[in-house]
Amino acid sequence: MQRQHVNHCNFADHYYNRIKLKKYHLTKCLQNKPRISELARNIPSRNFSCKEFLPIKQENKKSLSENMDAFEKVRTKLETQPQEEYEIINAEIKHGGFVYYQEGCCLVRSKDEEADTDNYEVLFNLEELKLDQPFIDCIRVAPDEKYVAAKIRTEDSEASTCVVVKLSDQPVMEASFPNVSSFEWVKDEEDEDVLFYTFQRNLRCHDVYRATFGDNRRNERFYTEKDPSFFVFLYLTKDSRFLTMNIMNKTTSEVWLIDGMSPWDPPVLIQKRIHGVLYYVEHRDDELYILTNVGEPTEFKLMRTAADTPAIMNWDLFFTMKRNTKVVDLDMFKDHCVLFLKHSNLLYVNVIGLADDSVRSLKLPPWACGFIMDTNSDPKNCPFQLCSPIRPPKYYTYKFAEGKLFEETGHEDPITKTSRVLRIEAKSKDGKLVPMTIFHKTDSEDLQKKPLLVHVYGAYGMDLKMNFRPERRVLVDDGWILAYCHVRGGGELGLQWHADGRLTKKLNGLADLEACIKTLHGQGFSQPSLTTLTAFSAGGVLVGALCNSNPELLRAVTLEAPFLDVLNTMMDTTLPLTLEELEEWGNPSSDEKHKNYIKRYCPYQNIKPQHYPSIHITAYENDERVPLKGIVNYTEKLKEAIVEHAKDTGEGYQAPNIILDIQPGGNHVIEDSHKKITAQIKFLYEELGLDSTSVFENLKKYLKF
């Protein structure tokens, strides 16, 4: 489990989002049925340009209204009521003609056609759990809709409770389980619903349980993983034929199949774990489709084998990816397999015909930076959304019968005309080309005098987050340049891109970041006195290292839950994640080479008396992933170095502002925290001496103050 996020993946966020207008604030909503992307850590054809996309035909006025881009509905509302809040809400889950979702503090369901009305049935009141502002993190419905299970959390903690509700004329809570991570329903030979779930202790998932309810109630441990560097995650294949038990660490995986129709039978091992081999499994028509890095090159490729002969010697190569390609997700249909890809920093969809092995590759619009996957049981269509940091998601549907991609019509977002997206490359010191994605206003003049906000992550093979964020949009509207640096250590160009930025190659990511910022300045995008840098969690390693090595490139920095004391953290094996993360950072306790290498870049170890940019740090009091102690120690040592430098410099020296904002709670990163967002923007504007009046007025359209 990465320091960055609670999910065990670094595929693109797959949640299907809808928009609701609210006069009050809902804390969270629901997660879709999981996809294979939840498991993956990084993982001759015709090209279509975006001009060839066909609009979805609207049959009448009613359908036009219903199918209109949800964000355009919100925008219309905002124009007439600019002070009203809207929020992005994770989709409901649909099952058997019903939609299950959170309404206020309740788990509810309504008939599919009444999902957007107030006509719903309350299944469970979250307030019964006596939690502070609880929200539903994900939901699963039993096959015959006799039970529904929901995982419930709070904003200030990663602890969760799974409640099981019996569906009847008067729904009642059958059971609750603490600290559940992943969970899935299957049905046995006697039509009894069986819930499999993983138990999380100290951020580690090592135990799998199975439970039944009603007259034949039981709850038993099914599996325990003995290796502390591995964790366990459950995934139900799209056709529900198999429940896969995925045992993995950062570089190696092992998958067991649990028969979805005979869950009491012993599980079947697909392939025993082999160091360095990752694989993830889908199923269709008695065949397993395996996304794996086995063989050369060590990038993801698609293989398949008969379900009754699953071992690696029987895997046949089915489809290979182009060089510098990141597999974002995979979706399986009756006659097609759809791959969602990122190649050379652009998005593609490859549709593979399983009957004839044909491949159709579609190049997606250049403004798109990320996918949002839709849960879909319709074998005729593959819907998904595209998004960018400054543009809300837009809906697309690939229709297999027509062999074409349809773009949902509606009023075009104004941001497409008022802003530009550029993709350029920086040459790192070893000659490697590092991709960047840049956003700025179309009518901006003299970009060298505009403020610049640089984003970086570069760890765990995870892509830099480029989902829609309202605060990023208002910055661009206010004249800022946004630059996203896809440095080594991340996963934007595939598995090798990650390998080239981990362990004793971590300094490659630092060199890449430095090259990116210098390239931006060299090509006329801002200047050091107007350049700011932001990161969260493990992204703090590169930011902190750059502040030590090249502080003159920056004016200000914002960090959230940053990982700044790599050496001491990785030498403390009592911390929950140390053993799981040895593959990323190395083992300084037993390997002197790793220890000496970490010393070269660790932000805390390399603080020295010199001028630093101003730094705003948001930390969380009970964060288990990045301990507060390391952040406090870093901040104190940094302030001491600044004071020492000020003494040597003499009178007239203006010391940078170092702010540590410690928030209560035990969560790791709270992306939607209005308080955090406003504090960071206020800090950046004050440090650069800019007027923030207009940006906060625009933010009021999106956030509730």
Side-chain angles (χ1 to χ4, degrees):
M1 290 192 296
Q2 297 91 320
R3 298 185 189 279
Q4 182 270 342
H5 200 271
V6 67
N7 283 349
H8 313 306
C9 68
N10 64 347
F11 271 6
D13 288 346
H14 63 281
Y15 307 127
Y16 165 61
N17 295 319
R18 63 186 175 94
I19 300 301
K20 264 191 177 181
L21 198 65
K22 289 292 177 186
K23 294 183 179 178
Y24 54 88
H25 179 66
L26 288 181
T27 54
K28 277 284 184 183
C29 285
L30 304 184
Q31 180 185 18
N32 271 332
K33 179 184 181 298
R35 308 175 53 79
I36 198 169
S37 64
E38 286 198 355
L39 306 178
R41 297 189 54 258
N42 25 46
I43 160 169
S45 58
R46 178 183 173 193
N47 288 323
F48 292 84
S49 71
C50 58
K51 293 181 180 179
E52 294 173 283
F53 294 166
L54 300 180
I56 294 177
K57 294 181 180 180
Q58 308 295 344
E59 300 298 331
N60 50 48
K61 289 184 178 180
K62 181 179 179 181
S63 62
L64 175 61
S65 174
E66 290 176 348
N67 293 308
M68 186 178 177
D69 189 329
F71 277 90
E72 300 305 332
K73 294 181 182 179
V74 172
R75 193 185 319 285
T76 302
K77 184 83 173 187
L78 286 172
E79 289 174 355
T80 58
Q81 295 178 317
Q83 300 303 313
E84 195 164 26
E85 176 190 11
Y86 84 84
E87 62 177 3
I88 302 174
I89 299 180
N90 288 339
E92 322 89 343
I93 192 164
K94 298 181 180 180
H95 191 103
F98 285 92
V99 182
Y100 295 77
Y101 56 99
Q102 180 176 343
E103 186 66 40
C105 287
C106 295
L107 169 63
V108 304
R109 72 173 177 179
S110 63
K111 293 183 179 179
D112 196 354
E113 63 271 15
E114 299 175 348
D116 292 324
T117 71
D118 292 330
N119 186 17
Y120 53 78
E121 175 189 8
V122 175
L123 304 178
F124 180 71
N125 189 336
L126 276 58
E127 293 180 343
E128 292 183 25
L129 299 177
K130 308 297 183 184
L131 300 173
D132 182 27
Q133 292 187 316
F135 67 88
I136 298 177
D137 186 55
C138 55
I139 186 170
R140 304 288 183 265
V141 183
D144 288 338
E145 229 162 348
K146 297 176 183 176
Y147 299 95
V148 59
K151 185 170 75 170
I152 299 167
R153 292 181 50 208
T154 64
E155 283 285 6
D156 63 355
S157 173
E158 293 195 35
S160 62
T161 299
C162 179
V163 298
V164 177
V165 177
K166 183 177 182 180
L167 300 175
S168 59
D169 293 338
Q170 293 184 328
V172 60
M173 185 175 75
E174 279 275 315
S176 66
F177 305 109
N179 300 317
V180 170
S181 179
S182 57
F183 58 106
E184 296 289 352
W185 290 100
V186 294
K187 187 171 63 173
D188 67 13
E189 304 92 322
E190 299 178 0
D191 288 339
E192 184 174 37
D193 293 310
V194 184
L195 180 70
F196 284 78
Y197 65 92
T198 57
F199 178 75
Q200 180 171 291
R201 182 187 295 111
N202 294 327
L203 302 181
R204 300 174 181 175
C205 292
H206 291 159
D207 296 317
V208 181
Y209 287 78
R210 59 186 173 190
T212 57
F213 310 95
D215 296 335
N216 189 25
R217 179 185 296 264
R218 73 182 83 175
N219 185 31
E220 60 188 21
R221 188 162 58 180
F222 175 73
Y223 175 85
T224 296
E225 173 56 35
K226 301 297 185 182
D227 190 330
S229 69
F230 282 73
F231 60 85
V232 187
F233 192 84
L234 301 174
Y235 171 75
L236 188 66
T237 59
K238 189 174 180 181
D239 61 3
S240 300
R241 182 63 183 83
F242 291 104
L243 175 63
T244 64
M245 185 170 65
N246 302 268
I247 307 162
M248 62 189 74
N249 66 11
K250 298 291 187 294
T251 61
T252 304
S253 60
E254 175 180 291
V255 182
W256 293 74
L257 293 179
I258 299 169
D259 194 320
M261 296 184 292
S262 301
W264 304 105
D265 292 348
V268 175
L269 175 64
I270 293 182
Q271 173 58 47
K272 185 178 180 180
R273 65 194 74 172
I274 302 172
H275 181 73
V277 174
L278 293 163
Y279 70 99
Y280 314 97
V281 178
E282 257 294 356
H283 176 266
R284 168 193 171 271
D285 285 354
D286 296 326
E287 286 188 316
L288 301 179
Y289 288 78
I290 302 168
L291 194 63
T292 180
N293 68 335
V294 69
E296 294 294 335
T298 54
E299 297 289 347
F300 276 121
K301 51 193 74 70
L302 191 60
M303 309 185 85
R304 65 181 172 186
T305 184
D308 57 359
T309 55
I312 195 169
M313 71 280 296
N314 300 310
W315 297 359
D316 293 325
L317 184 62
F318 180 59
F319 185 78
T320 58
M321 317 301 166
K322 294 180 180 178
R323 189 169 171 266
N324 293 334
T325 296
K326 164 71 178 280
V327 181
V328 177
D329 210 340
L330 176 152
D331 203 355
M332 189 66 66
F333 295 83
K334 182 177 182 298
D335 298 315
H336 298 86
C337 175
V338 180
L339 289 168
F340 299 86
L341 308 172
K342 181 182 290 186
H343 174 67
S344 297
N345 208 22
L346 291 169
L347 301 186
Y348 292 78
V349 169
N350 278 11
V351 182
I352 305 173
L354 299 177
D356 56 6
D357 292 348
S358 62
V359 179
R360 172 163 288 183
S361 181
L362 294 91
K363 183 178 180 181
L364 299 175
W367 64 262
C369 300
F371 293 101
I372 300 175
M373 304 306 170
D374 185 13
T375 299
N376 177 50
S377 57
D378 182 358
K380 299 179 181 179
N381 301 313
C382 178
F384 58 91
Q385 296 176 72
L386 299 177
C387 65
S388 86
I390 65 171
R391 177 169 175 166
K394 188 172 182 64
Y395 293 85
Y396 291 80
T397 300
Y398 185 84
K399 297 192 174 183
F400 297 115
E402 291 89 336
K404 296 176 181 177
L405 184 65
F406 293 80
E407 176 182 359
E408 188 161 15
T409 59
H411 178 63
E412 190 66 22
D413 193 311
I415 199 73
T416 58
K417 295 182 179 180
T418 60
S419 69
R420 293 184 65 193
V421 55
L422 304 172
R423 287 176 171 84
I424 65 174
E425 293 177 321
K427 181 178 284 189
S428 198
K429 66 179 183 180
D430 63 355
K432 187 70 70 173
L433 295 178
V434 183
M436 290 184 283
T437 309
I438 302 169
F439 304 89
H440 68 82
K441 287 183 72 173
T442 304
D443 59 0
S444 289
E445 297 179 358
D446 199 356
L447 291 172
Q448 194 170 17
K449 296 181 179 179
K450 298 297 182 182
L452 168 66
L453 179 60
V454 179
H455 300 71
V456 72
Y457 187 70
Y460 304 115
M462 296 185 65
D463 289 8
L464 187 56
K465 275 195 171 185
M466 300 192 71
N467 54 311
F468 173 64
R469 298 300 311 163
E471 66 271 20
R472 300 303 183 230
R473 172 149 179 171
V474 298
L475 288 178
V476 169
D477 287 339
D478 205 41
W480 283 68
I481 304 166
L482 304 183
Y484 290 76
C485 303
H486 310 293
V487 304
R488 280 174 284 185
E492 286 86 347
L493 298 184
L495 294 176
Q496 190 61 47
W497 197 247
H498 172 219
D500 288 342
R502 69 181 183 94
L503 295 176
T504 55
K505 295 183 180 180
K506 184 60 70 175
L507 283 168
N508 284 340
L510 177 59
D512 293 352
L513 177 58
E514 178 183 336
C516 286
I517 295 176
K518 288 181 177 179
T519 298
L520 288 166
H521 293 161
Q523 295 194 15
F525 295 102
S526 195
Q527 54 188 287
S529 62
L530 293 172
T531 297
T532 64
L533 180 57
T534 187
F536 65 96
S537 194
V541 173
L542 297 184
V543 173
L546 185 69
C547 289
N548 288 328
S549 64
N550 286 278
E552 70 280 356
L553 294 176
L554 306 169
R555 178 66 184 85
V557 169
T558 65
L559 296 169
E560 183 178 7
F563 188 29
L564 297 166
D565 191 0
V566 182
L567 183 62
N568 289 324
T569 300
M570 293 307 298
M571 292 186 71
D572 187 353
T573 56
T574 65
L575 294 174
L577 298 181
T578 297
L579 294 177
E580 287 187 12
E581 303 213 338
L582 296 178
E583 294 281 356
E584 180 69 23
W585 308 101
N587 190 347
S589 296
S590 62
D591 191 319
E592 197 67 21
K593 179 182 177 181
H594 286 171
K595 183 177 182 179
N596 291 332
Y597 190 84
I598 292 173
K599 283 182 178 180
R600 292 171 60 188
Y601 68 81
C602 174
Y604 176 76
Q605 297 292 325
N606 291 281
I607 293 173
K608 55 194 173 188
Q610 65 175 9
H611 179 72
Y612 278 87
S614 293
I615 301 176
H616 182 286
I617 301 175
T618 304
Y620 300 95
E621 190 174 15
N622 299 312
D623 189 339
E624 294 182 85
R625 296 176 183 275
V626 178
L628 180 61
K629 178 183 177 182
I631 298 175
V632 171
N633 290 344
Y634 170 87
T635 305
E636 291 176 351
K637 186 176 180 179
L638 181 61
K639 288 181 176 180
E640 291 172 0
I642 290 170
V643 170
E644 186 176 345
H645 176 67
K647 290 179 181 178
D648 296 337
T649 305
E651 294 184 9
Y653 174 69
Q654 187 170 351
N657 292 312
I658 307 299
I659 299 172
L660 175 57
D661 180 13
I662 301 176
Q663 296 291 317
N667 216 328
H668 179 49
V669 173
I670 304 177
E671 190 172 28
D672 297 315
S673 168
H674 297 176
K675 182 179 180 181
K676 177 203 71 180
I677 291 169
T678 55
Q680 289 179 345
I681 290 179
K682 182 175 182 290
F683 171 79
L684 293 177
Y685 271 76
E686 288 179 350
E687 288 299 321
L688 271 59
L690 303 175
D691 183 2
S692 61
T693 304
S694 61
V695 75
F696 281 115
E697 286 298 318
N698 286 333
L699 266 177
K700 287 180 181 179
K701 297 179 181 179
Y702 301 99
L703 306 178
K704 182 179 180 181
F705 288 89

